[in-house]
Every structure is written in C-alpha cells, then in structure tokens.
Amino acid sequence: MPALDTLSVVNDMLGLLGERRVNAIDEPHPLIPDALAKLDTASSTVQAVMWWFNVEYPTLTPQVGTGNLIVPNDTAACDSLTQYPRLAVRGNRLYNLDDVTDVFTDPIRVRLHRIVPFDDCPILARAHIASKAKLSFQADYDGDSMKAQILKAEIAESYANMHAEHIRNAKANLLGRPSVAVKLMNIVGGRSSWQNHLLNRNL
C-alpha cells in the first residue's frame, strides 16, 4: 500500500482533474495551495471531535513567575478532570472560569484535545480526512456527479473504519483498568481466566 501522506493526497486531488503528479508539495503548481488548504480544513474539521489519537491527559504545572498554565499551540480544548475548576483556553493559556483568573498555584491534570498534524495521524484517520478533502476539492473544480458519488462512498467507508478503531481503542483502555476487572469479577461472583489475565497484566 502506498504511503498515505500529504503529498500522496495532493496528487490524488490533482489526479481527479487529470493533472500531472508532482514530486513535492512546494512545486510551483497553481492548484497545490488550494489542495493543501482543503486537506488542512478537513483535518481540523474531523479532529474537532475527540478521537482516541488526539486526546491526552497531561499534568500542567504553573509557570514560575506568572502562574500561567500554558497549553500547546495546537490545542482545540482543555478540560479539568475534576468538577472544579472549570477551565477554558484563552490564547495559549488556561483560564479558571470559577475564580475568574489565569493564575494557578497548583498543577492540574487535564484532558487535552489537540489537532494533530495530518502526517502524524493514524492511517485510518488519514484515510478519512483525505477522502473528505478530496470531495471538497473535486466539488470546487470538477463537479462530476459520478466522481462525487465514489468519493462519498469512500468517506462513508473510511469513517466506519476509523470509528471502529476508536471503539476498539476505547474498549481496550477501559478493560485494561484493574478497577474494571474487579467490578466484572464482582458481577459474576468469581474470576474467569480472562479476568485473571487483566488483573495480572496490571499488577
């Protein structure tokens, strides 16, 4: 399977219009900037939803001197893992909505939702993002209804594959927790070999 990277997606877009392939995305081709823009928009739109690959759980520590909690530039959203404080992203820092301040005295563990660069996304996510970008690009320059139907089917299939991978990862993360294994054991009144495996794996 050929690499599914930015260059290959741009070439797929150009191919939809019968254009020649390029060897690099910085070649002086008049359609490359719009192709890249379509890919960037599709990536941001897809990743506006929290998926298994674009959510992290770091502990942020206040900066010395300012007390600010700084978040990465690619942050889409950031939440506290506790009920309080309620947090919002203001610029490149967190804002405490309850105390009305951006000054913090203690580290806070957060759920950090990021927009991952396209080439760093998992292959199934790249496939879905690419399919949406190609349809948007094709609609602007070609409008062939048959091509559009093929691309829409590609979008549906790639979304199903990505969503299935998301569910698989969510289940793996959930079942891998010792607390869940213990609860399952209590429900059935004893340990199965599968539950023993989960418990032993996390000791």
Side-chain angles (χ1 to χ4, degrees):
M1 180 179 179
L4 183 56
D5 57 13
T6 297
L7 178 60
S8 68
V9 177
V10 168
N11 276 321
D12 284 346
M13 292 184 193
L14 296 178
L16 289 169
L17 307 183
E19 294 283 328
R20 64 174 179 82
R21 296 177 64 84
V22 296
N23 295 317
I25 58 175
D26 58 358
E27 285 191 18
H29 192 294
L31 295 177
I32 288 180
D34 194 44
L36 292 173
K38 294 294 187 184
L39 184 59
D40 185 60
T41 297
S43 184
S44 296
T45 300
V46 170
Q47 293 192 65
V49 175
M50 287 186 284
W51 297 95
W52 81 96
F53 65 89
N54 67 353
V55 177
E56 303 170 3
Y57 297 88
T59 297
L60 301 181
T61 301
Q63 280 190 328
V64 176
T66 66
N68 293 153
L69 293 177
I70 305 300
V71 297
N73 291 332
D74 59 6
T75 298
C78 190
D79 313 291
S80 173
L81 293 182
T82 58
Q83 185 176 4
Y84 299 104
R86 294 178 302 122
L87 303 175
V89 177
R90 300 278 178 89
N92 68 337
R93 65 193 187 281
L94 290 185
Y95 190 80
N96 184 329
L97 294 169
D98 295 313
D99 295 338
V100 195
T101 181
D102 61 2
V103 177
F104 296 80
T105 57
D106 300 308
I108 297 180
R109 188 162 184 253
V110 298
R111 179 175 63 182
L112 184 62
H113 176 194
R114 306 179 71 171
I115 304 298
V116 180
F118 175 76
D119 288 334
D120 291 339
C121 291
I123 184 69
L124 293 178
R126 275 180 276 159
H128 182 57
I129 292 167
S131 64
K132 290 180 69 69
K134 287 188 289 185
L135 177 62
S136 180
F137 183 83
Q138 185 266 345
D140 280 357
Y141 289 99
D142 183 42
D144 183 284
S145 60
M146 184 63 70
K147 289 181 184 177
Q149 288 303 314
I150 293 172
L151 290 171
K152 288 176 182 178
E154 185 179 313
I155 288 174
E157 180 180 4
S158 62
Y159 177 83
N161 291 336
M162 182 175 69
H163 189 261
E165 181 67 6
H166 177 75
I167 296 300
R168 188 190 70 79
N169 276 273
K171 286 181 178 178
N173 290 338
L174 177 65
L175 294 176
R177 297 176 185 173
S179 59
V180 173
V182 171
K183 288 178 182 177
L184 290 173
M185 179 191 68
N186 291 335
I187 290 173
V188 299
R191 272 185 211 170
S192 66
S193 59
W194 171 72
Q195 289 166 333
N196 277 323
H197 168 72
L198 286 178
L199 288 171
N200 292 334
R201 190 183 72 178
N202 291 279
L203 289 178

